[in-house]
């Protein structure tokens, strides 16, 4: 009898283990072949000589890293960081009030409003970015409208510059900011606003002391979701930025496809990975300390 | 008499969906005296929380005016009113510690840090929470959270403290203990408490005066004794405690009393001064504990005849249901004082019943409140 119970327990445990394994195996296989292995290859390529027609020569070198000291690349790197940062802040300033608005509506309205935020996703990203050309170009919607109102004499230069790229980035990544912010704000207890006001806090103090700290997680999550892909963007600057507004993504693309310099392309990729890793590590450090403090 | 709060002709209409407006409060006049424990009592949806929120400043009246210590509040925001609120679900700030929660209101006032520390300490001592300063709200029990909410409001030393069903989430034992503690605390600090509750027992236990509300209107304002002994209408009699209702018609009025014919078969004499025409329909309110029950051998000429329908033993007392007329039954409660010496009755037994005339309250039927369900009454 006792033995049978033991056997039964053993098989139950085994079955649970098996179930867990089945859950993680697909992701593990996927990540190994399409993330770990390619990452390792990028690391390896970055210290090899370039091949004449793309590819690599199997010869160790650090010269690819030395090329990074060229100020030209710093400019592109700086622009990427600056545009991504600006995009993140702009998305936050537009997205936070909107997420707050949606979360404070009656529950039956919230899903409809969220759907409106997500609907643009149903159209191809490329199409949506091309649409901005029609809006921003010299004979575009904005310029025609402004000149027909006699507000301007000459068409404004809205396209193929940092402005156009920023507009495209903010437009493209806004939902990534709104969704995590909404998820945080939806759980926010709005009775706390009454409590704060009751205790003498005006609107600004209520926001700074109560709302902001309690939604910080959503702000950080949304900012990471916008900043990380924005740094590596290459479609938006390629289409809206023209030749002048290169970002890191364009540079990487050029090195692999244009210049056929795979090793230097790998170096640039690694630089981007490091840049993106820094804010994530800071986030986890902060979150960790919060957890320990509580 | 100095007034802490006065509501003059206050009305509140909420704009509902499909252009349908909901009138939550209608022509409300209320005077709350300085230093009293005042309860707003009524069933859910009667508008009591709306009244509280208008005093606190979270809602502004559609018409009328709220005065606090004689000063018209108008549209003054909550943070500029000399009142503080203890919220239903406490609304403690989850990211702040107990001490930080209590200190919040003082920081908003700009009180210097050294004063804040001592005042927070005093407030936490008052609610017996010393030693828990550095806990977060989620590490506290419901009762402790309730005390933090209380300390957070008390520390501001408001002129009026508002309570929105603060004990609703606590279990019965804790709730009873907190009721007594709140009452004692109110007497100690001497500030006006305005207390919203749907629990009539809670209101009776703690209040100096009670306003009974139904559907946005005040039905009666009075001390617990007045509310219980002299209910102004059937709704109040039914909502506060247990009541028997007998419907009858006046057949005679003489010598400061009425003779009422109940269900066309039983005549009762009750004292009643105001003039009522013969034939007028009235409701007699009889509290179950004011009726005594005796064996058939009892020789009281005024005793009524009845038949036991049900006997329920409830520990502190026993509840009898007695058939009084063909249509009406009476609920009688008898305290189990000396169990061995009490008469025992069985279902179906004929008994005698004694109702002191001055313990019956006459309600002219015109003052009938909203029809309340009562298992006692069977109208044709």
């Amino acid at each position: 009898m006792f033995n049978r119970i033991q056997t039964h327990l053993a098989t139950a445990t085994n079955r649970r283990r098996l179930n867990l394994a089945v859950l993680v195996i697909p992701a593990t296989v996927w990540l190994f072949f399409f993330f770990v292995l390619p990452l390792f290859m990028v690391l390896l390529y970055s210290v090899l000589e370039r091949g004449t027609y793309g590819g690599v020569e199997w010869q160790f070198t650090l010269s690819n890293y030395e090329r990074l000291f060229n100020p030209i690349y710093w400019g592109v790197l700086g622009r990427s960081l600056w545009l991504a940062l600006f995009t993140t802040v702009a998305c936050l300033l537009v997205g936070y009030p909107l997420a707050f608005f949606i979360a404070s509506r009656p529950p039956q309205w919230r899903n409809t409003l969220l759907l409106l935020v997500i609907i643009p996703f149903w159209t191809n990203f490329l199409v949506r970015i091309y649409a901005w050309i029609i809006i921003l170009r010299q004979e575009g919607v904005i310029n025609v409208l402004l000149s027909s109102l006699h507000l301007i004499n000459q068409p404004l230069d809205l396209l193929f510059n940092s402005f156009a790229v920023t507009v495209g980035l903010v437009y493209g990544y806004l939902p990534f900011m709104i969704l995590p912010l909404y998820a945080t704000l939806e759980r926010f207890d709005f009775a706390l606003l009454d409590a704060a006001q009751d205790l003498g806090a005006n609107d600004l103090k209520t926001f700074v002391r109560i709302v902001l700290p309690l939604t910080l997680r959503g702000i950080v999550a949304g900012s990471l979701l916008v900043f990380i892909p924005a740094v590596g963007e290459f479609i938006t600057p390629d289409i809206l930025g023209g030749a002048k507004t290169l970002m890191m993504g364009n540079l990487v693309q050029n090195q692999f496809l244009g210049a056929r310099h795979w090793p230097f392309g790998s170096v640039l990729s690694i630089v981007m990975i490091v840049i993106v890793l820094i804010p994530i590590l800071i986030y986890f450090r902060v979150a960790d300390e919060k957890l320990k403090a509580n | 008499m100095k007034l802490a709060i006065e509501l003059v002709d206050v009305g509140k209409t909420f704009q509902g969906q499909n252009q349908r407006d909901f009138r939550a409060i209608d022509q409300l006049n209320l005077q709350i005296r300085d230093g009293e424990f005042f309860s707003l009592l009524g069933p859910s949806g009667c508008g009591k929380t709306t009244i509280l929120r208008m005093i606190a400043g979270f809602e502004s009246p559609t018409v009328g005016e709220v005065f606090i210590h004689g000063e018209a509040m108008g549209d003054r925001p909550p943070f500029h009113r000399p009142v503080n609120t203890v919220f239903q679900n406490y609304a403690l700030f989850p990211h702040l510690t107990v001490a930080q929660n209590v200190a919040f209101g003082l920081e908003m006032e700009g009180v210097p840090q050294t004063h804040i520390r001592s005042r927070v300490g005093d407030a936490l001592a008052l609610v017996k929470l010393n030693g828990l300063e550095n806990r977060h709200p989620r590490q506290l029990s419901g009762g402790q959270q309730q005390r933090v909410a209380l300390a957070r409001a008390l520390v501001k030393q408001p002129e009026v403290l508002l309570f929105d069903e603060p004990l609703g989430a606590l279990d019965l034992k804790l709730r009873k203990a907190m009721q007594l503690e709140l009452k004692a605390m109110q007497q100690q600090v001497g500030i006006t408490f305005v207390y919203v509750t749907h629990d009539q027992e809670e209101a009776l236990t703690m209040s100096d005066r009670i306003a009974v509300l139904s559907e946005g209107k005040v039905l009666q304002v009075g001390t617990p004794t007045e509310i219980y002994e002299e209910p102004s209408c059937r709704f109040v009699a039914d909502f506060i405690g247990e009541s028997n209702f007998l419907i009858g018609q006046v057949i005679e009025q003489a010598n400061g009393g009425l003779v009422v014919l109940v269900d066309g078969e039983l005549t009762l004499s009750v004292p009643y001064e105001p003039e009522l025409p013969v034939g007028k329909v009235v409701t007699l309110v009889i509290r179950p504990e004011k009726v005594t029950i005796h064996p058939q051998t009892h020789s009281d000429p005024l005793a009524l005849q009845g038949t036991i329908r049900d006997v329920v033993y409830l520990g502190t007392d026993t509840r009898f249901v007695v058939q009084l007329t063909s249509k009406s039954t009476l609920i009688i409660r008898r305290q189990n004082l000396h169990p061995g010496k009490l008469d025992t009755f069985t279902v179906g037994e004929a008994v005698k019943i004694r109702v002191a005339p001055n313990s019956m309250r006459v309600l002219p039927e015109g003052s009938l409140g909203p029809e309340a369900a009562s298992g006692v009454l069977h109208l044709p």
Side-chain angles (χ1 to χ4, degrees):
Chain A
M1 182 64 192
F2 183 71
N3 268 340
R4 266 172 64 193
I5 292 173
Q6 234 176 4
T7 327
H8 178 76
L9 279 178
T11 49
T13 318
N14 284 340
R15 201 176 308 135
R16 203 169 308 132
R17 277 197 195 129
L18 193 69
N19 283 344
L20 286 177
V22 167
L23 290 178
V24 295
I25 281 171
T28 312
V29 171
W30 177 274
L31 283 177
F32 180 76
F33 282 105
F34 298 108
F35 179 69
V36 178
L37 211 58
L39 193 65
F40 181 72
M41 281 165 68
V42 168
L43 275 171
L44 186 66
Y45 282 9
S46 73
V47 291
L48 294 177
E49 292 279 5
R50 95 184 259 200
T52 321
Y53 306 103
V56 287
E57 295 284 336
W58 288 84
Q59 179 100 46
F60 177 82
T61 176
L62 285 175
S63 62
N64 302 315
Y65 283 92
E66 280 163 22
R67 249 182 103 177
L68 274 180
F69 291 104
N70 189 335
I72 291 175
Y73 303 119
W74 298 4
V76 178
L77 181 63
R79 183 184 297 123
S80 291
L81 287 175
W82 168 243
L83 285 180
L85 197 68
F86 189 88
T87 302
T88 309
V89 173
C91 282
L92 192 60
L93 291 180
V94 176
Y96 197 97
L98 188 63
F100 194 93
F101 174 80
I102 297 176
S104 57
R105 288 313 92 190
Q108 66 267 27
W109 280 100
R110 291 183 205 156
N111 282 340
T112 316
L113 291 169
L114 270 188
L115 194 69
L116 292 178
V117 171
I118 300 167
I119 276 178
F121 269 103
W122 296 354
T123 315
N124 184 292
F125 184 68
L126 217 52
V127 174
R128 286 186 284 137
I129 292 300
Y130 271 115
W132 275 106
I133 294 185
I134 297 169
I135 296 171
L136 296 175
R137 66 183 168 175
Q138 298 222 321
E139 321 73 62
V141 178
I142 292 178
N143 274 319
V144 168
L145 193 72
L146 289 178
S147 60
S148 70
L149 292 171
H150 301 291
L151 290 171
I152 51 170
N153 297 324
Q154 291 202 324
L156 300 171
D157 262 332
L158 299 173
L159 199 56
F160 304 130
N161 51 28
S162 293
F163 170 77
V165 175
T166 314
V167 167
L169 289 175
V170 172
Y171 168 77
Y173 289 111
L174 189 56
F176 293 100
M177 182 62 89
I178 292 174
L179 293 179
L181 278 177
Y182 171 76
T184 316
L185 280 162
E186 196 216 357
R187 275 175 290 158
F188 181 77
D189 177 8
F190 283 87
L192 297 181
L193 300 184
D194 281 353
Q197 303 250 304
D198 188 73
L199 293 166
N202 58 25
D203 292 344
L204 182 67
K205 278 179 179 165
T206 304
F207 181 74
V208 173
R209 294 286 309 270
I210 306 300
V211 185
L212 208 56
L214 285 171
T215 51
L216 199 59
R217 253 165 203 282
I219 294 172
V220 174
S223 300
L224 286 179
L225 280 181
V226 171
F227 182 79
I228 292 169
V231 170
E233 243 303 356
F234 72 94
I235 296 176
T236 310
D238 200 42
I239 296 173
L240 298 178
K244 290 172 291 179
T245 322
L246 274 183
M247 287 177 72
M248 285 293 278
N250 305 106
L251 212 53
V252 174
Q253 186 198 17
N254 280 346
Q255 290 303 317
F256 275 98
L257 300 179
R260 297 200 178 270
H261 199 319
W262 289 18
F264 188 57
S266 301
V267 167
L268 291 172
S269 299
I270 289 166
V271 170
M272 273 177 54
I273 291 171
V274 171
I275 287 171
V276 163
L277 222 50
I278 291 169
I280 295 182
L281 287 177
I282 292 173
Y283 172 60
F284 281 128
R285 174 67 61 85
V286 171
D288 249 22
E289 273 168 14
K290 266 260 167 88
L291 269 180
K292 271 179 212 152
N294 295 345
Chain B
M1 178 63 66
K2 205 177 156 207
L3 289 180
I5 288 170
E6 191 175 14
L7 277 74
V8 180
D9 291 331
V10 166
K12 176 74 188 173
T13 309
F14 288 105
Q15 246 140 42
Q17 286 181 332
N18 312 326
Q19 307 295 315
R20 246 181 302 163
D21 288 352
F22 171 63
R23 184 170 293 176
I25 303 293
D26 196 20
Q27 277 276 316
L28 187 99
N29 285 286
L30 208 57
Q31 298 185 324
I32 300 172
R33 295 169 195 152
D34 202 24
E36 77 176 335
F37 197 125
F38 192 92
S39 290
L40 298 166
L41 173 65
S44 58
C46 72
K48 54 194 190 296
T49 296
T50 305
I51 296 173
L52 201 74
R53 289 177 64 81
M54 286 195 291
I55 298 172
F58 300 125
E59 313 275 358
S60 41
T62 318
V63 292
E65 188 64 87
V66 175
F67 295 88
I68 300 178
H69 281 188
E71 216 177 319
M73 285 296 122
D75 284 332
R76 202 188 283 193
F79 45 88
H80 286 146
R81 295 192 183 206
V83 299
N84 286 109
T85 310
V86 176
F87 292 89
Q88 191 163 17
N89 295 314
Y90 321 134
L92 299 177
F93 305 127
H95 61 301
L96 301 180
T97 63
V98 168
Q100 286 167 338
N101 261 285
V102 178
F104 185 85
L106 298 178
E107 284 169 19
M108 292 301 116
E109 272 178 55
V111 175
Q113 274 300 325
T114 46
H115 286 106
I116 289 181
R117 200 161 313 143
S118 71
R119 276 173 71 179
V120 168
D122 291 347
L124 287 175
L126 191 64
V127 298
K128 305 186 186 108
L129 274 185
N130 336 50
L132 299 179
E133 285 85 352
N134 295 321
R135 298 269 187 96
H136 277 84
R138 68 177 163 284
Q139 296 169 303
L140 302 177
S141 70
Q144 289 170 330
Q145 290 183 24
Q146 214 281 320
R147 286 161 188 273
V148 178
L150 188 59
R152 189 175 69 171
L154 271 173
V155 79
K156 298 267 290 179
Q157 299 170 345
E159 293 166 17
V160 179
L161 205 51
L162 309 174
F163 293 84
D164 187 8
E165 306 219 20
L167 307 181
L170 303 181
D171 64 71
L172 187 67
K173 263 225 159 92
L174 194 55
R175 195 157 69 222
K176 299 229 174 209
M178 276 307 288
Q179 285 169 9
L180 298 176
E181 211 171 308
L182 270 180
K183 177 71 190 160
M185 197 175 293
Q186 192 261 341
Q187 281 161 349
Q188 190 186 337
V189 295
I191 52 182
T192 313
F193 277 27
V194 181
Y195 194 97
V196 161
T197 180
H198 66 266
D199 183 340
Q200 42 106 3
E201 208 182 316
E202 194 164 286
L204 292 176
T205 309
M206 296 192 286
S207 317
D208 294 319
R209 289 198 306 148
I210 299 170
V212 184
L213 295 138
S214 172
E215 297 182 339
K217 291 191 181 68
V218 174
L219 298 181
Q220 189 173 4
V221 180
T223 63
T225 316
E226 284 165 3
I227 297 274
Y228 186 81
E229 302 291 347
E230 297 156 32
S232 67
C233 64
R234 182 172 168 154
F235 181 88
V236 174
D238 201 34
F239 192 73
I240 315 289
E242 201 174 12
S243 287
N244 293 294
F245 298 104
L246 297 177
I247 307 287
Q249 273 184 301
V250 178
I251 52 174
E252 200 189 332
Q253 184 164 32
N255 308 326
L258 291 175
V259 180
V260 178
L261 181 67
V262 175
D263 296 336
E265 47 188 272
L266 176 72
T267 53
L268 291 171
S269 298
V270 287
Y272 192 73
E273 291 292 344
E275 195 106 334
L276 277 183
V278 169
K280 167 83 180 162
V281 177
V282 294
T283 303
L284 301 177
V285 181
I286 303 168
R287 294 293 188 184
E289 74 281 5
K290 300 206 162 90
V291 186
T292 53
I293 183 166
H294 308 277
Q296 196 61 2
T297 52
H298 186 71
S299 57
D300 185 335
L302 290 173
L304 309 171
Q305 196 66 40
T307 312
I308 301 271
R309 285 277 164 259
D310 197 13
V311 181
V312 183
Y313 178 75
L314 294 168
T316 56
D317 46 28
T318 305
R319 185 171 178 269
F320 301 94
V321 180
V322 175
Q323 192 80 42
L324 195 62
T325 69
S326 57
K327 289 174 196 152
S328 299
T329 57
L330 212 54
I331 291 171
I332 300 168
R333 275 174 181 269
R334 187 186 67 185
Q335 273 203 294
N336 296 327
L337 286 175
H338 306 285
K341 292 179 192 164
L342 288 172
D343 298 311
T344 53
F345 302 98
T346 51
V347 175
E349 190 179 340
V351 289
K352 289 220 169 135
I353 285 172
R354 180 89 170 77
V355 190
N358 57 9
S359 68
M360 281 187 273
R361 180 153 174 88
V362 180
L363 300 173
E365 220 212 5
S367 77
L368 278 184
E371 256 314 303
S374 167
V376 182
L377 195 72
H378 305 287
L379 280 172

